[in-house]
Amino acid sequence: MSRRSLLGRTAAVAAGATALTATAGGPAAAATRDVDVAIVGAGLAGLTAARDLVAAGRTVVVLEARDRVGGRVVNLPLANGGVTEGGGEFIGPTQDRIKALADSLGVATFPTYNTGKNLLYKDGKKTPYATDGLLGSVPPVDAAGLANAAIVQASLDDMAKTVPVDAPWTAAKAEEWDRQTFESWLRANAVVPSAKFLLDVACTSIFSAEPRELSLLFVLFYIAAAGNESTPGTLERLTETANGAQEQRFVGGSQLVPVKLAATLGDRVALNAPVRTISRSGGKYVVTADGLTVTAKRVVVAVPPPLAARITYDPLLPAGRDQLTQRLPMASVGKAIAIYDTPFWRADGLNGQVVSDTGVISSTFDNSPPDASYGALMGFIEADEARKLDAASEAEVKAAVLKDYVTYFGAKAASPTSFVLQRWNNEAYSRGGPVSIGAPGVLTQYGPALRRPVGGIHWAGTETSVHWMGFMDGAVRSGERVAKEVLAAL
């Protein structure tokens, strides 16, 4: 793919977004609407549900608080005319539903750059290592640590196989596993310090949360969910690039998928319309957003649980549902992308992927476009490190990030041509990411309320998916599931 064709696709994304804003330019275009189904949230879940409901002949309106579609999936424009992803961007094996959706919309994929060596930065030492050897992409820590980590990984996978993805709270050992944090379990099982380091990095990379914040049962469910109906999930699939969840990216950026999907819905999508109340009146639901009121037979709420809890419901939601949303906070994540004239690290035999025990950036990826017409280094700022920087200025974050990039990739990393930052903790309609997380006691006590409809109110979003929760694929799956649920009820 040439740079010109990539820029052409970028222009098409911008044109599509402009057209969507023009046709669905927010609630001012129509003060009231009466439809079969009102959908709250124009992320992948809400848009997918709308697509399926429209295909079945139902009328819908999708109410989106932001001035764009995509939710936790967003393209960030670059000064050189390109785009990079500020949110969800990767897909991999068994993520069938996001791939099918992208294919149907003509959005192509390309392999995440994975040629050359990874870098391990630990204890002040930088070690390049191959990813195609006996250990795969496992960082080369000491032999005892590798052996211990292998045992821990096998144990986690074996336990995850016993967790029903549609009802993890019914697992035979659910109560035992949900009484403890992932941290307490790791301390008892990852007894070699270097093994604990590997599992800690895996945890923050997967969840953008610290092990102490997560229930062991929640972690096991997440592993079990990293597959599809015929393929059990594994921890390795969550962490790997080749043959894993980071294997592919979207040409033109991941937000191209929801933008194109929203374009097929036209003025059924209302932007700049944050929903304030959902009430039941006269056998119907009244959904009140800024400047727009919708009456509907059914409502789909397709936003993260903590944000769904900020809507006022009349009558009140059942206590169990409300208690659930109070206990599923968003994790903490940001993405920092430095742009260079070329992906210079490739000439040094590196693939741009780092695992580190220090700094604000503990893992990185090569986010360059398919034709390598410019270089892009993307780093995750996660969990405790993200929270430390919530109040920092963008200049302060940039300085800290570039310091890490120089440590990993040398002096050339100090002078990017541009720098973009996405801080999900500070996003009004996300307040964190990539997913809501479960602490001890949440799944066993409140899990059944996760997908259970409340009257005519139905729940969607990646947090409600039984496969690939926390990923774009989970969001699409939840939209497909809730559309079937609503159609059966209408």
Side-chain angles (χ1 to χ4, degrees), residues 383-440:
D384 283 349
E385 295 300 330
R387 290 184 281 264
K388 289 176 186 176
L389 294 173
D390 281 344
S393 69
E394 183 164 335
E396 290 170 329
V397 176
K398 178 181 178 181
V401 168
L402 293 184
K403 180 182 178 182
D404 288 346
Y405 288 176
V406 169
T407 296
Y408 306 146
F409 299 105
K412 291 180 181 178
S415 304
T417 58
S418 61
F419 182 89
V420 290
L421 180 66
Q422 181 73 22
R423 305 162 82 177
W424 289 102
N425 288 16
N426 295 339
E427 276 274 315
Y429 297 109
S430 292
R431 300 319 308 258
V435 68
S436 295
I437 54 174

Side-chain angles (χ1 to χ4, degrees), residues 421-471:
L421 180 66
Q422 181 73 22
R423 305 162 82 177
W424 289 102
N425 288 16
N426 295 339
E427 276 274 315
Y429 297 109
S430 292
R431 300 319 308 258
V435 68
S436 295
I437 54 174
V442 175
L443 284 179
T444 49
Q445 292 299 309
Y446 305 102
L450 189 60
R451 286 181 297 276
R452 182 189 298 149
V454 176
I457 302 174
H458 303 256
W459 312 103
T462 190
E463 284 83 3
T464 70
S465 184
V466 301
H467 294 293
W468 288 109
M469 175 188 176
F471 290 77

Side-chain angles (χ1 to χ4, degrees), residues 27 38-42 61-66 270-279 285-294 299-303 306-314 428-429 457 459:
I39 299 173
V40 182
V61 63
V62 184
L63 299 158
E64 170 56 45
R66 294 180 171 95
L271 303 178
N272 302 303
V275 170
R276 306 300 182 182
T277 64
I278 299 174
S279 58
Y285 285 89
V286 179
V287 181
T288 306
D290 287 2
L292 175 61
T293 299
V294 179
V299 179
V300 171
V301 179
V303 298
L307 298 184
R310 297 181 184 184
I311 299 170
T312 298
Y313 299 85
D314 183 15
Y429 297 109
I457 302 174
W459 312 103

